[in-house]
Amino acid sequence: MNILLIHSYVATNHPSPLLTEPLGLIALATYLESFYGDTISVEILDLFALGFGKVYKKKDKCIMGIHDRESIASLLQENPPDLIGITCNFTAYSEDSFELSKTIKSIYPSIPVVIGGAHVTMYPVETLENNPDVDIVVCGEGEITFQKLVDELLNKNTKSLGKIEGLCYRRPDGTIHFTGKRDLIHDINELPTPDRKFINNDVYKKVNKVALPFTKKVPAGSIMTSRGCPFSCIFCSTKVMWERKWRPLSAEKVIKEIETMVLVYGFHEIVIQDDQFVLDKNRVHQICDFLITKKLNISLSIPPGTCVWILNENLLAKMKKAGFYRLNFPIETGNENTLKFIRKPVNLEKTRETIQIANRLGFWTQGNFIIGFPYETREEMMETINYAYECGLDYANFLIATPLAGSEMTEIFIKEGLIESGINTSDVFHADHDTTTMTGNELNEIHAQAVRGFVSNKIFFYLNPINFYKHMLPKLLTLDGIVYAMKVLKVTFTDIVIQRVKGNVSQVIPVKSDH
């Protein structure tokens, strides 16, 4: 059996790649190969990566990746598949995955098309009702469910699909059947280490230079060392896939994967994409101790964020010595009432102290701040913006509260009549929806002012010699630190401020016809 897993092209509002490596597909392909050996052939067809370097304009969207029927048909014919799996993680890109399934069915009508990921896990029945070219939805964690499905297809026993937990499928009579939720894998250490041979690492070294502009060293590659998050923030939809549980890989497995990334594939920075990396401080200490001893001369970063309420000076010092250089704190708001509303366990005073410690140790510090929660007033938003300005961060990332499908906040937006469903066209930097206190246009105006204001505020802040000495000088004590500071300045003022505030975009190629 030839199994083809496809990473789709994407259509976005921004002409720059927002995706990194398809870590979920890599994990699934590795698991299937380790389980079946030579019984099957499994490959990843990465349409996004294959089309990297060109951006196509189609109506009001920028398309990244190979997307036309002729090219896709040619790629499929190189090694005709017996089973196709498509990833559909993000609601914003769900229509791209569904359009791809339609294209595939027009080429191979009889080949089963399976789709999985966070979005379809939230809407399995609706996915099949609205997309006749999708045959089966794998809900939740995919490895075991997909493997059980392959078993039945290998045995040509499709009548037993109802026995497989975690499936939603269309019966021969057209009715749709959901078999129920599959329990999460108890110990993810039992899974094989993801094998990066399934993707083109050279292409992703180029992709990540653009998708991850603040990396210190290149090339940079992404990994995940845990799954899930135990916290209960109302705006997050992570619980759809991973529930409210955190399951870490052992320090030994993480270390093995990092070694492979560095010594085999030549990555100089490891980008940890966990929802929660520092939850087990002992595990972080073990990983750092290994990196310090081995002297791999790499950098490490955690773009999704680091829980400020877990960190302490001892752990931060160890992380700095191991190669971590930048911390992104998911603070979200500077208003106490909003903190309670979103259920974020942040102590604002303690956060200020931690930022000061991190600056003193030479970390670059960034914070995420969200404005536009459904009941938030202008005054409360201004408290958040003012906190971001004065708490000592080097950079603040201002986001707009977006109703993500599957989040509790989305239900509030729906209840208040602000949106019809969790599927919307808003992104985290631009609102197409209103709140109960202001319009989307007003939100966008406040957001733009917050970004511009932070940059000008920071310039004046560092003109004060005392502030420069306390906050910036510890970052500039080495040549490596000075070089990175120049990169931060360049990225901040060109790639971030100009593109997001002024709306400048790169050259795009128009698509002449719809496919």
Side-chain angles (χ1 to χ4, degrees):
M1 173 183 278
N2 291 332
I3 300 174
L4 188 64
L5 306 176
I6 303 181
H7 188 211
S8 178
Y9 56 86
V10 294
T12 74
N13 295 321
H14 306 287
S16 59
L18 305 177
L19 301 177
T20 56
E21 303 95 313
L23 299 179
L25 287 186
I26 298 171
L28 178 57
T30 304
Y31 181 80
L32 292 173
E33 185 175 77
S34 69
F35 189 90
Y36 289 105
D38 296 334
T39 305
I40 66 165
S41 167
V42 58
E43 295 180 3
I44 292 177
L45 175 60
D46 197 335
L47 298 176
F48 173 77
L50 286 171
F52 177 70
K54 295 181 180 179
V55 180
Y56 298 87
K57 188 71 175 179
K58 185 177 181 181
K59 296 181 181 178
D60 60 341
K61 294 287 187 177
C62 296
I63 304 175
M64 288 164 283
I66 292 176
H67 60 282
D68 63 285
R69 186 185 185 281
E70 293 76 14
S71 298
I72 293 172
S74 177
L75 291 167
L76 293 177
Q77 288 164 6
E78 290 178 8
N79 187 18
D82 300 302
L83 175 63
I84 288 178
I86 302 174
T87 184
C88 185
N89 270 326
F90 305 105
T91 296
Y93 305 146
S94 58
E95 290 304 316
D96 306 320
S97 297
F98 299 147
E99 183 183 76
L100 175 60
S101 67
K102 185 177 181 179
T103 300
I104 290 170
K105 276 295 188 180
S106 73
I107 301 168
Y108 290 116
S110 62
I111 293 179
V113 172
V114 183
I115 197 163
H119 175 80
V120 295
T121 294
M122 289 182 277
Y123 304 108
V125 175
E126 294 88 340
T127 294
L128 294 179
E129 287 176 341
N130 299 326
N131 299 280
D133 300 297
V134 176
D135 300 301
I136 302 171
V137 174
V138 170
C139 302
E141 202 164 37
E143 286 93 344
I144 294 177
T145 303
F146 200 92
Q147 175 261 308
K148 298 288 186 184
L149 172 62
V150 171
D151 267 357
E152 297 304 320
L153 296 178
L154 281 172
N155 296 324
K156 298 182 179 180
N157 191 16
T158 56
K159 293 182 179 179
S160 298
L161 294 185
K163 298 178 181 179
I164 302 174
E165 293 177 330
L167 281 189
C168 189
Y169 66 96
R170 191 178 291 103
R171 293 187 175 112
D173 64 2
T175 59
I176 294 170
H177 179 58
F178 175 49
T179 64
K181 186 181 70 171
R182 176 179 294 278
D183 289 340
L184 295 174
I185 298 168
H186 177 68
D187 184 4
I188 61 172
N189 288 287
E190 297 174 356
L191 299 173
T193 299
D195 193 334
R196 296 183 70 94
K197 72 178 183 180
F198 289 104
I199 63 169
N200 188 325
N201 289 277
D202 289 335
V203 170
Y204 274 102
K205 288 176 181 179
K206 298 175 184 177
V207 171
N208 288 346
K209 285 181 70 174
V210 184
L212 302 167
F214 283 108
T215 51
K216 185 176 185 180
K217 293 184 178 181
V218 293
S222 298
I223 65 171
M224 287 192 71
T225 78
S226 65
R227 293 181 178 181
C229 174
F231 301 109
S232 55
C233 303
I234 69 166
F235 55 83
C236 181
S237 59
T238 294
K239 64 182 176 66
V240 173
M241 284 293 288
W242 312 125
E243 301 176 9
R244 296 293 189 192
K245 298 178 181 178
W246 185 71
R247 294 166 298 149
L249 290 171
S250 67
E252 291 75 17
K253 289 208 73 167
V254 175
I255 288 165
K256 177 184 175 183
E257 186 169 4
I258 291 176
E259 273 196 299
T260 301
M261 293 275 288
V262 175
L263 301 179
V264 176
Y265 291 102
F267 288 100
H268 294 158
E269 177 159 327
I270 304 302
V271 181
I272 299 171
Q273 299 286 7
D274 297 19
D275 290 313
Q276 294 295 339
F277 175 67
V278 299
L279 206 57
D280 182 347
K281 292 194 285 290
N282 289 332
R283 187 183 78 125
V284 179
H285 275 291
Q286 292 174 32
I287 294 169
C288 290
D289 286 337
F290 167 82
L291 295 171
I292 293 167
T293 302
K294 282 289 186 177
K295 298 180 179 179
L296 293 178
N297 191 29
I298 60 172
S299 296
L300 301 100
S301 54
I302 318 167
T306 309
C307 289
V308 68
W309 57 91
I310 294 175
L311 297 171
N312 56 46
E313 185 165 0
N314 184 35
L315 182 61
L316 285 172
K318 179 73 69 68
M319 291 173 66
K320 186 69 170 62
K321 190 174 181 181
F324 290 89
Y325 64 94
R326 178 168 57 95
L327 298 172
N328 185 22
F329 300 127
I331 302 168
E332 319 303 13
T333 179
N335 177 267
E336 294 289 353
N337 289 332
T338 304
L339 279 175
K340 293 175 183 176
F341 173 73
I342 65 175
R343 298 201 295 266
K344 196 81 177 183
V346 169
N347 181 306
L348 293 174
E349 283 304 315
K350 176 70 165 50
T351 296
R352 283 192 181 90
E353 295 172 8
T354 302
I355 292 170
Q356 302 307 316
I357 292 170
N359 285 329
R360 187 173 71 246
L361 290 172
F363 280 101
W364 289 85
T365 56
Q366 175 179 327
N368 283 348
F369 295 93
I370 303 175
I371 61 172
F373 291 107
Y375 305 117
E376 193 175 25
T377 65
R378 181 182 292 269
E379 290 73 24
E380 289 169 332
M381 293 181 206
M382 293 310 301
E383 276 194 55
T384 291
I385 294 169
N386 290 333
Y387 182 90
Y389 285 5
E390 57 83 22
C391 66
L393 292 168
D394 296 309
Y395 184 74
N397 198 25
F398 292 101
L399 312 172
I400 294 175
T402 302
L404 301 174
S407 71
E408 294 172 65
M409 185 178 71
T410 296
E411 298 306 313
I412 296 174
F413 273 99
I414 294 172
K415 182 188 73 173
E416 296 294 345
L418 300 167
I419 60 173
E420 293 183 0
S421 71
I423 304 173
N424 66 89
T425 57
S426 300
D427 63 40
V428 295
F429 300 112
H430 180 84
D432 293 325
H433 62 270
D434 301 336
T435 72
T436 60
T437 65
M438 63 183 58
T439 66
N441 287 336
E442 289 174 320
L443 272 179
N444 293 328
E445 182 182 341
I446 293 173
H447 176 263
Q449 291 173 350
V451 174
R452 288 193 296 264
F454 186 86
V455 174
S456 58
N457 178 277
K458 221 59 202 170
I459 292 172
F460 286 106
F461 179 82
Y462 284 127
L463 288 176
N464 183 323
I466 295 176
N467 292 337
F468 186 87
Y469 177 80
K470 288 183 177 180
H471 294 265
M472 182 56 66
L473 188 61
K475 305 173 177 62
L476 306 176
L477 298 179
T478 64
L479 177 60
D480 191 42
I482 294 172
V483 171
Y484 183 66
M486 298 302 293
K487 179 176 182 177
V488 170
L489 284 174
K490 177 181 181 296
V491 171
T492 300
F493 283 96
T494 58
D495 298 340
I496 303 299
V497 174
I498 293 176
Q499 287 186 16
R500 287 185 186 164
V501 177
K502 294 187 178 179
N504 290 357
V505 297
S506 62
Q507 186 69 33
V508 295
I509 303 169
V511 173
K512 295 181 180 179
S513 61
D514 292 342
H515 299 286

